[in-house]
Amino acid sequence: MQNTDEDNASLRAVPDDKGHFGPYGGRYVAETLMPLILELEKAYNEAKADPAFQLELDDYLKHYVGRPSPLYYAPRLTEHFGGAKIYLKREELNHTGAHKINHCMGQILLAKRMGKKRIIAETGAGQHGVATATVAALFNLPCVVYMGELDIERQRPNVFRMRLLGAEVRPVKSGSRSLKDAMNEALRDWVSHIDDTYYIIGTVGGPHPYPAMVRDFQSIIGRETRQQLMEAEGRTPDSLVACVGGGSNAMGLFHEFLDDPSVAIHAVEAAGHGIATGMHAAALTGGRAGILHGMRSYFLQNEDGQIQEAHSISAGLDYPGVGPEHAWLHDNGRVSYVAVTDDEALDAFQLCSKLEGIIPALEPSHALAYVGKIAPSLPRDHLMVVNLSGRGDKDIFTVAERLGVQI
Amino acid sequence: MAEPNRIEARFTKLREQGRKAFIAFTTAGYPNLGAYPLLLEKLPAAGVDLIEIGVPFSDPMADGPAIQAANNQALREGITLAKILDMVRDFRTKDNETPIVLMGYYNPIYSYGPMRFLDDAQKAGVDGFIVPDLPPEEDEEFRVPAAARGLRVIRLVTPTTDAERLPTVLKDASGFLYYVSITGITGSASAEAANVKTNIDAIRAQSDLPIAIGFGVNTPAQAQEMAALADGVIIGSAIVKRISAHLDDYGKPSATMLDDALTFVGDLAKAVHG
Ligand SMILES: Cc1ncc(COP(=O)(O)O)c(C=O)c1O
């Protein structure tokens, strides 16, 4: 290494070869899985260096997923807030309705390349499960999706979607019966089916190489954004805003811009009923460092190191941890992590629907709610890009119930 | 090499006697905080050579339904790492020879503060640790300070640990080697003796450490079969299931729970000892 000057060190050159983002990340898995994740890392590095793999991925992203997703100037939201010029990165227009398909496409091609015969995944909101079931159908591979019982109740449309796509949805009854428990169950499945199974993790979490690999597959969001904004405005954005559950859509947008010091970056966690109530899903704002699901990162936990349940109206943000790269970007201050409540997200959900004719998912509604807090006081020439990570069709039942509407 | 601790002393003695080690796993605080120390205290007399105490965690990723349920119940009963160390300290006032190994996931230890935990564990009379989510690639920060205090971090070898990887696992191994006999979670399947033998032979060729077989051993007959292949046998889920059979819908144990669990432990011990 020639460059030892800290100030010049690229924020995009992580993780190291052991999967560490500063003190975070790593490979905290049982020995049974260790050889498997080493094999995965090797296969991923080879695929990454193989132009044929990238060409095949690009082809599917263009013709099957529908990329590039538009970067849309949102005039009425901009007018409503009366400050920053707001652009929406329309990931909700991807096939299956969210950004999750980006990393599923990459991972299924990798699984195929590795000769795997069976796909498993965990899901919270069901968006990652739907995206996984979709690519598994496309490549004719049997697929099992683990989903907490609680999430099955509140995301019924997605459960039915997964079944239509031919996947088996296995309800998880253990622990808090939501995303973290689904991930435990998927890991248990993986150790029990080591020979033929590929585990498609749904966020920038889990043991190395998943956080880096999922980020790489998602970073197309930021690369497109840079180019599209250059075409529209002739310059880079002034700020970025994205919601953070595990952190995949946020890393996807942010990664391209980490070394652009003029770009302010805001990541929005779910504050649930409010951070002070303890009923939230904000691992960085309200948790502390720990080890779970193969990684060192931030987690909600009690004083004895027992992981606590997360609370959010949004099933996709209802995870008590966060990807390790976010933990690192939090500690080094490059990204500012904030949190918005269920109620604030609900308001933003309705506002975006009415003003722009776009029903956002509850997850990016958190990002939109934060936009509402900072945009008004920013100048009119401030260019702000918000990652609209998914569409809200899956959430209409939850929202209707919260609003006391019978449908 | 550090001073021999109770683990080495016990395996040396058993080797001299030509006996195999019976290692019993139970979940700390299960079925409740009152009954557990009574069970613990009686394990040596029932034939247990080395005690493995499971440290409950909210998210036991390597465990099957039986140990998951035991973890949950013990946590509801209020078990903590500090209380487990108190139980070990009390045990040591009666038994200063039976080695005690704590088996648990890393987060509760990390949260306690690994250095403070190692100090307190050593003072309480713990001899070693099995931390399933701390593979060789990540265990240095815990293993090195543990060794400095005369404590052992037990390495796991599994059916997926191939010839290329085995040296990585054996380097810096101490105490004994835990051979995970199945690819799966605790209590899920039963090990195949033929496969186990091949793998144990491969480990033997490269290590002098005692080898104990665990994860896929559920009955006295299997215990006997596995004992013939290694230096020790570890049984956990089967004991935990035996205890759980005595619990009512509220998790309250029957009056015969303790005696029956110890009878079962005794049967397993006989099978291992032959
Ligand atoms: C639309 C949408 N956005 C965001 C998320 C949160 O995940 P991540 O933080 O990994 O982007 C989800 C998760 O299900 C989602 O469905």
Side-chain angles (χ1 to χ4, degrees):
Chain A
M1 288 285 281
Q2 270 199 331
N3 195 343
T4 52
D5 185 350
E6 287 260 320
D7 293 337
N8 289 335
S10 170
L11 292 168
R12 305 174 71 223
V14 287
D16 66 14
D17 58 2
K18 290 185 170 143
H20 292 125
F21 302 85
Y24 303 108
R27 299 177 277 214
Y28 294 85
V29 296
E31 174 60 22
T32 310
L33 286 182
M34 202 59 211
L36 280 76
I37 63 170
L38 291 172
E39 180 204 352
L40 175 61
E41 182 188 348
K42 191 160 158 277
Y44 174 56
N45 285 336
E46 284 166 11
K48 201 161 59 168
D50 179 357
F53 179 83
Q54 198 55 55
L55 275 177
E56 191 181 11
L57 177 58
D58 288 347
D59 192 62
Y60 279 107
L61 289 177
K62 182 171 177 203
H63 297 108
Y64 189 74
V65 175
R67 301 208 71 90
S69 69
L71 182 70
Y72 164 70
Y73 164 55
R76 296 196 63 206
L77 276 175
T78 299
E79 192 187 322
H80 179 82
F81 293 132
K85 189 167 182 186
I86 297 162
Y87 278 86
L88 302 178
K89 180 60 174 161
R90 303 283 305 274
E91 289 299 300
E92 101 282 8
L93 291 177
N94 294 334
H95 180 43
T96 72
H99 70 291
K100 299 282 180 189
I101 191 82
N102 299 330
H103 62 234
C104 287
M105 210 67 236
Q107 289 194 73
I108 198 87
L109 291 179
L110 186 59
K112 206 173 62 131
R113 191 183 163 100
M114 292 173 77
K116 300 292 181 187
K117 298 274 181 283
R118 176 176 177 266
I119 299 298
I120 58 169
E122 85 294 336
T123 196
Q127 287 305 112
H128 174 62
V130 166
T132 303
T134 298
V135 297
L138 181 62
F139 290 98
N140 193 25
L141 292 171
C143 174
V144 174
V145 179
Y146 290 93
M147 187 168 189
E149 266 189 339
L150 202 66
D151 292 336
I152 287 182
E153 270 163 44
R154 58 180 170 176
Q155 302 285 337
R156 270 194 233 136
N158 274 345
V159 175
F160 186 59
R161 248 172 229 137
M162 285 184 268
R163 292 188 171 138
L164 280 175
L165 291 160
E168 178 191 344
V169 180
R170 287 202 191 150
V172 176
K173 301 175 194 339
S174 59
S176 56
R177 300 180 295 138
S178 67
L179 184 52
K180 88 173 166 74
D181 310 280
M183 197 154 177
N184 290 339
E185 221 40 57
L187 285 163
R188 290 182 187 119
D189 179 307
W190 200 18
V191 274
S192 310
H193 299 89
I194 49 157
D195 292 326
D196 62 345
T197 296
Y198 185 100
Y199 178 15
I200 299 190
I201 291 188
T203 192
V204 286
H208 180 62
Y210 283 103
M213 177 172 70
V214 171
R215 173 201 70 197
D216 292 349
F217 287 138
Q218 288 294 351
S219 7
I220 189 162
I221 300 174
R223 285 198 303 276
E224 286 177 4
T225 297
R226 186 190 286 281
Q227 198 192 337
Q228 290 166 322
L229 199 67
M230 194 56 80
E231 280 161 18
E233 299 275 355
R235 64 185 187 88
T236 49
D238 296 303
S239 62
L240 308 173
V241 185
C243 67
V244 178
S248 63
N249 87 86
M251 277 322 305
L253 177 63
F254 300 168
H255 191 248
E256 170 71 15
F257 298 100
L258 289 176
D259 287 337
D260 290 35
S262 67
V263 181
I265 306 182
H266 307 281
V268 187
E269 296 190 293
H273 297 291
I275 299 292
T277 66
M279 306 272 282
H280 60 84
L284 289 165
T285 310
R288 59 194 171 86
I291 288 98
L292 184 74
H293 294 154
M295 58 178 165
R296 183 181 306 210
S297 190
Y298 275 64
F299 297 95
L300 304 181
Q301 51 188 314
N302 71 12
E303 65 280 9
D304 297 317
Q306 304 297 341
I307 304 301
Q308 285 177 318
E309 282 177 40
H311 295 272
S312 170
I313 188 175
S314 143
L317 303 183
D318 210 351
Y319 178 65
V322 64
E325 190 162 10
H326 285 289
W328 181 69
L329 292 169
H330 170 269
D331 286 12
N332 69 25
R334 176 62 184 97
V335 174
S336 83
Y337 290 84
V338 295
V340 313
T341 64
D342 287 353
D343 289 342
E344 291 169 327
L346 267 171
D347 288 345
F349 179 98
Q350 296 169 79
L351 188 72
C352 183
S353 301
K354 290 203 175 101
L355 291 184
E356 296 292 350
I358 297 170
I359 302 176
L362 279 170
E363 292 82 11
S365 295
H366 287 70
L368 291 167
Y370 189 67
V371 169
K373 294 186 186 193
I374 57 171
S377 57
L378 290 166
R380 292 251 172 201
D381 61 354
H382 180 108
L383 301 181
M384 177 179 283
V385 177
V386 187
N387 198 0
L388 203 75
S389 57
R391 64 174 187 233
D393 311 41
K394 69 183 176 60
D395 294 314
I396 56 172
F397 301 98
T398 307
V399 173
E401 194 185 306
R402 278 288 186 117
L403 300 178
V405 178
Q406 192 95 35
I407 46 176
Chain B
M1 195 67 218
E3 294 280 293
N5 78 0
R6 292 184 196 90
I7 299 172
E8 282 96 36
R10 178 57 50 103
F11 274 106
T12 304
K13 192 171 143 198
L14 288 169
R15 256 186 195 176
E16 283 165 10
Q17 297 171 340
R19 272 162 45 111
K20 302 299 169 82
F22 172 42
I23 303 174
F25 168 100
T26 51
T27 298
Y30 182 71
N32 58 54
L33 300 188
Y36 186 70
L38 303 176
L39 174 69
L40 196 60
E41 178 186 312
K42 297 197 168 70
L43 291 175
V48 175
D49 300 301
L50 191 152
I51 292 174
E52 199 180 309
I53 298 181
V55 178
F57 183 46
S58 50
D59 296 83
M61 284 155 290
D63 288 298
I67 294 179
Q68 285 175 42
N71 274 247
N72 289 340
Q73 172 149 342
L75 288 170
R76 277 196 306 272
E77 293 285 330
I79 195 71
T80 63
L81 208 40
K83 285 181 191 166
I84 295 171
L85 294 181
D86 287 342
M87 289 174 183
V88 173
R89 198 174 295 110
D90 287 344
F91 177 90
R92 282 277 171 255
T93 62
K94 292 155 214 150
D95 182 327
N96 202 23
E97 282 177 14
T98 306
I100 292 183
V101 172
L102 301 188
M103 175 159 184
Y105 298 83
Y106 195 42
N107 200 55
I109 295 172
Y110 184 78
S111 170
Y112 193 103
M115 298 309 125
R116 184 168 78 90
F117 172 68
L118 286 168
D119 285 340
D120 291 355
Q122 187 209 23
K123 279 186 222 136
V126 171
D127 304 289
F129 310 93
I130 301 168
V131 189
D133 56 353
L134 213 50
E137 279 76 359
E138 303 289 351
D139 74 2
E140 188 177 325
E141 68 170 47
F142 186 63
R143 176 176 45 77
V144 173
R149 291 162 176 81
L151 303 172
R152 307 290 181 253
V153 173
I154 309 302
R155 287 267 175 93
L156 296 106
V157 185
T158 72
T160 59
T161 314
D162 57 16
E164 192 191 331
R165 179 165 172 79
L166 187 57
T168 306
V169 177
L170 296 181
K171 184 177 177 286
D172 304 317
S174 66
F176 65 94
L177 292 168
Y178 189 134
Y179 182 71
V180 175
S181 66
I182 53 164
T183 52
I185 49 181
T186 53
S188 56
S190 295
E192 294 283 344
N195 301 343
V196 172
K197 185 171 183 328
T198 312
N199 289 327
I200 299 275
D201 289 347
I203 303 167
R204 281 259 196 262
Q206 293 187 44
S207 174
D208 293 330
L209 286 173
I211 304 170
I213 301 175
F215 263 57
V217 194
N218 301 305
T219 63
Q222 288 168 356
Q224 188 176 10
E225 190 180 27
M226 291 298 145
L229 304 176
D231 305 291
V233 176
I234 304 164
I235 299 177
S237 292
I239 301 173
V240 169
K241 280 181 196 160
R242 189 73 169 223
I243 295 173
S244 70
H246 284 270
L247 307 183
D248 67 17
D249 289 350
Y250 305 97
K252 204 169 146 340
S254 73
T256 56
M257 183 275 294
L258 194 59
D259 287 341
D260 182 52
L262 289 165
T263 304
F264 183 57
V265 168
D267 291 344
L268 293 168
K270 275 188 219 109
V272 173
H273 294 144

